[in-house]
Amino acid sequence: MKADLPKLRSAASVQFSRFSANRMAMISVWLLALTVALCFLGPYAFPFTAEDADFDNISAGVDLFSIHPFGTDDYGRDLLIRVLEGGQVSLMIGFLGALVAGVIGVLYGAVAGFAGGRTDNIMMRFVEVLYGFPYVILVILLSLLLGGGTLALFTALVFTLWLTPAVIVRAQAQSLSRREFIEAARAGGMTSWQIVTQHIVPNTISLVIVYGSLLVPEVILSESFLSFLGIGIKEPQASWGNLIQIGTSQMATDLRLLLLPGTLLALVLFCLNFIADGLRDAFDPNEH
Amino acid sequence: MTPVLEARNLTVGYKIPGGLFARPQTLPIVQEVNISLLPGQTLGIVGESGCGKSTLGRALMYLIKPLAGEVLWSGQNPAQMSPEVLRKNRAQMQIIFQDPIAALDPRMTLARILSRPLATFEPQLSKTDVQTRVAEALQRVGLSPDFAARYPHELSGGQAQRVGIARAIIGRPKVIICDEPVSALDVSIQAQVVNLLMDLQAEMGLALVFISHNLAVVRHISHQVMVMCLGRTVEQAPRDAFYARQLHPYAAALKQAVPEPDVAAERLRRGQSLPGELPSIAHPPPGCVFSSRCPQAQDLCRTARPLLKSYGSGRQGACHFIEAPP
């Protein structure tokens, strides 16, 4: 009774075909994939790393046919490779941060919304307290605690960014938990945890995918912002944020230090926003 | 024979949390209901909207904890079971719902919806056994086993209700609570679903609790009829005796509210609708729950609540002025 069944279109396949019909979103997917591949594989094409200084070519200009296509900075480090490796850090923090914050937020919100009553009340008041916490100060505190660097930045970002998915999912879980299939699940002997993970969370997933795709650029932007302020990723490690910061200090004389990381960051942010847009349209229940 | 389902003085209500100045309150929805249901029997529960029928159904399933009184499943009290034992014992009590589509998880295929209860009730089953049981359940409710791959949004209301019934019977229950199972369906489909329930009852020896406001459907399927008004039982009787003559004026009014197919009789019937307002369940009248709308109400009715008394041959009524049936 499995293999020989007529193939019916599931909701997911309808949504997928609707997403692939969105041209901007599909272009964005390919551009983003290309950028990611470039950032993670590109540096291997060069015989030196981002930290190797080439003292013969300090502050070299753009020369696409030389060994340093986009030139070097004033320490003689290759700009292209620094931007690509900075991209690795920014993208990793973006996707991983969104994933971790998303998972925590979804589970927290689903539990709160499903439990309801006093549990929900306490859990959501806690979220509101955290919302009130100024996050630049939180990052500074955490950097002091964890000795600064990527881990402190990552923890601080996740700590502030799981709140919104929690609130969104909680509202959805609240309305879902009053539906009759949840009652049927209880009559079928499922535990509350099983209902949350097998009924509530899968039913919020379309919402979460859309929000998650907006969360990634938010994390990348926050990372860049904090690194720009000098409390995120520290030299000599590169990230798009601190590269842009170095770029701005020299933009009066040499614009390319700002333009290269800035363009890539903008490209990724645009792509992610178009993808989020396409996902939202694909999952929109009003168009079913 | 032990009844498969019993309720003793069952009182169910919701707690309203108190505000800054208000005290927490309990709002009783169902009060002091007694039920005893034998295997293979159907109890029809009728009453107007908001009288507590559905809440009673949930309480019988032990999905809502009673405030007082107890529910017994084949003589065992679910309130005294450990959570683990209770989960396993839910196999004997199942429920089907009014809105058949909302009762199915939109993101699951029917195969997953139907096999989910088995994962809890009979975890020892192999994968192929589960698939056979799913196919069997689908066939039993008159659907082709190919339906297993479908999603709920691909079903019509009648098909979805059949799936709801398949999910209820797959764990081989003793009792199924049917909460207005046909109210949301087309009239032609209603008959099919009711007949399906009666066939399954005959095959599996199921006991049914059939909650409805449709007296004609209840007449078709029930052995016993119970009438509820504002959370209380006002009359309980064997089906034929009940439809021949209602003891309680509220039951008689319900019966009269059924439209007549004959034009002249219908015109006459329309003139006799009940006057008065439905009292709030938060402030029930001190006397009889029906006293504010009863055409025969006396002063006694507004001050003293009539108790449910037996009138012979299995009939019970709660009214001060019931004339003993012949």
Side-chain angles (χ1 to χ4, degrees), chain A residues 73-124:
Chain A
D73 63 7
D74 37 352
Y75 298 102
R77 296 176 297 191
D78 185 83
L79 187 62
L80 179 64
I81 298 194
R82 272 186 72 70
V83 169
L84 294 182
E85 283 190 3
Q88 286 180 15
V89 173
S90 287
L91 289 169
M92 282 268 272
I93 287 192
F95 281 95
L96 249 136
L99 185 74
V100 175
V103 168
I104 296 174
V106 167
L107 282 179
Y108 191 91
V111 167
F114 177 71
R118 186 172 296 160
T119 320
D120 175 44
N121 223 333
I122 293 170
M123 286 175 85
M124 293 328 279

Side-chain angles (χ1 to χ4, degrees), chain B:
Chain B
M1 212 168 1
T2 34
V4 279
L5 175 64
E6 253 188 296
R8 291 188 187 150
N9 282 322
L10 188 64
T11 298
V12 194
Y14 296 108
K15 288 199 172 71
I16 305 170
L20 201 51
F21 301 107
R23 278 213 206 138
Q25 262 189 321
T26 53
L27 185 63
I29 309 290
V30 173
Q31 297 200 41
E32 294 160 31
V33 168
N34 287 288
I35 282 174
S36 174
L37 188 62
L38 293 173
Q41 296 280 300
T42 302
L43 172 70
I45 299 181
V46 293
E48 63 203 320
S49 312
C51 72
K53 304 185 296 275
S54 293
T55 305
L56 174 62
R58 304 293 192 280
L60 293 174
M61 295 287 302
Y62 203 64
L63 292 172
I64 307 174
K65 286 185 183 147
L67 293 177
E70 55 188 14
V71 176
L72 298 177
W73 298 345
S74 301
Q76 290 172 302
N77 188 345
Q80 286 162 1
M81 295 176 188
S82 72
E84 205 47 39
V85 175
L86 173 65
R87 292 206 301 125
K88 298 270 181 203
N89 268 288
R90 287 194 180 281
Q92 43 177 312
M93 298 288 300
Q94 284 297 311
I95 182 164
I96 55 182
F97 297 94
Q98 174 166 12
D99 184 344
I101 306 266
L104 306 175
D105 188 328
R107 300 199 80 83
M108 289 189 177
T109 60
L110 301 194
R112 274 198 70 197
I113 291 174
L114 292 176
S115 57
R116 191 59 194 76
L118 290 178
T120 308
F121 298 145
E122 296 168 61
Q124 74 282 1
L125 286 182
S126 73
K127 228 177 161 183
T128 33
D129 285 346
V130 169
Q131 278 168 354
T132 344
R133 286 280 285 275
V134 168
E136 217 175 78
L138 280 170
Q139 265 163 348
R140 240 186 177 152
V141 298
L143 295 174
S144 142
D146 310 343
F147 271 66
R150 294 206 187 180
Y151 281 86
H153 69 88
E154 297 168 306
L155 303 178
S156 70
Q159 288 171 337
Q161 193 57 287
R162 284 170 190 269
V163 174
I165 295 172
R167 171 177 57 193
I169 61 167
I170 201 163
R172 300 188 175 132
K174 295 177 181 163
V175 183
I176 297 183
I177 312 272
C178 312
D179 185 9
E180 305 248 14
V182 297
S183 308
L185 305 176
D186 267 3
V187 180
S188 58
I189 313 282
Q190 284 188 7
Q192 291 174 13
V193 170
V194 169
N195 287 334
L196 171 65
L197 282 170
M198 292 175 75
D199 292 345
L200 289 172
Q201 176 169 48
E203 275 173 51
M204 306 174 66
L206 284 170
L208 300 176
V209 174
F210 195 92
I211 298 168
S212 180
H213 55 246
N214 187 333
L215 280 169
V217 176
V218 169
R219 180 177 202 165
H220 189 62
I221 198 172
S222 306
H223 301 98
Q224 286 274 321
V225 178
M226 183 173 121
V227 181
M228 284 181 74
C229 178
L230 221 62
R232 290 180 185 274
T233 310
V234 294
E235 181 165 352
Q236 190 162 6
R239 186 233 349 234
D240 291 334
F242 176 81
Y243 281 92
R245 176 167 169 257
Q246 298 82 38
L247 296 183
H248 197 280
Y250 175 73
L254 269 187
K255 181 76 185 16
Q256 252 173 22
V258 179
E260 297 273 355
D262 179 65
V263 180
E266 169 67 11
R267 209 167 278 146
L268 195 69
R269 185 192 70 83
R270 284 241 176 113
Q272 299 174 331
S273 64
L274 279 179
E277 287 276 315
L278 179 67
S280 153
I281 203 150
H283 310 283
C288 173
V289 283
F290 189 49
S291 57
S292 63
R293 292 179 294 165
C294 183
Q296 299 161 35
Q298 314 276 321
D299 286 343
L300 175 66
C301 300
R302 294 185 192 99
T303 49
R305 181 165 49 237
L307 298 172
L308 198 64
K309 279 183 286 201
S310 284
Y311 291 90
S313 57
R315 310 198 66 167
Q316 290 180 302
C319 175
H320 293 300
F321 300 104
I322 293 177
E323 298 155 37

Side-chain angles (χ1 to χ4, degrees), chain A residues 30-250:
Chain A
W30 289 115
L31 269 178
L32 186 66
L34 191 73
T35 315
V36 171
L38 255 173
C39 285
F40 283 87
L41 301 175
Y44 293 109
F46 293 87
F48 41 79
T49 70
E51 275 152 44
D52 291 337
D54 182 348
F55 295 113
D56 299 332
N57 294 301
I58 286 178
S59 294
V62 177
D63 179 358
L64 291 177
F65 301 102
S66 73
I67 187 97
H68 303 296
F70 286 90
T72 57
D73 63 7
D74 37 352
Y75 298 102
R77 296 176 297 191
D78 185 83
L79 187 62
L80 179 64
I81 298 194
R82 272 186 72 70
V83 169
L84 294 182
E85 283 190 3
Q88 286 180 15
V89 173
S90 287
L91 289 169
M92 282 268 272
I93 287 192
F95 281 95
L96 249 136
L99 185 74
V100 175
V103 168
I104 296 174
V106 167
L107 282 179
Y108 191 91
V111 167
F114 177 71
R118 186 172 296 160
T119 320
D120 175 44
N121 223 333
I122 293 170
M123 286 175 85
M124 293 328 279
R125 290 305 84 75
F126 178 67
V127 166
E128 275 156 31
V129 168
L130 291 186
Y131 254 129
F133 219 91
Y135 95 119
V136 176
I137 292 177
L138 188 78
V139 181
I140 296 171
L141 279 176
L142 277 169
S143 329
L144 286 175
L145 265 174
L146 299 170
T150 322
L151 185 67
L153 181 76
F154 184 78
T155 317
L157 286 174
V158 168
F159 202 77
T160 49
L161 289 170
W162 70 271
L163 300 172
T164 309
V167 172
I168 294 175
V169 167
R170 178 256 186 177
Q172 185 84 352
Q174 238 179 354
S175 78
L176 280 171
S177 61
R178 283 191 210 100
R179 298 270 291 275
E180 285 171 334
F181 68 84
I182 299 298
E183 226 165 353
R186 289 219 291 142
M190 288 171 79
T191 61
S192 299
W193 180 248
Q194 286 171 337
I195 293 178
V196 166
T197 52
Q198 294 174 30
H199 285 296
I200 306 270
V201 170
N203 273 288
T204 57
I205 218 75
S206 56
L207 204 74
V208 170
I209 289 178
V210 173
Y211 184 73
S213 56
L214 288 167
L215 200 58
V216 177
E218 202 180 327
V219 180
I220 294 181
L221 207 59
S222 305
E223 181 275 319
S224 302
F225 167 66
L226 291 171
S227 301
F228 181 80
L229 291 184
I231 47 179
I233 309 287
K234 301 255 168 38
E235 279 276 347
Q237 199 182 9
S239 85
W240 285 341
N242 63 20
L243 285 172
I244 291 171
Q245 190 229 341
I246 298 164
T248 45
S249 61
Q250 300 179 8

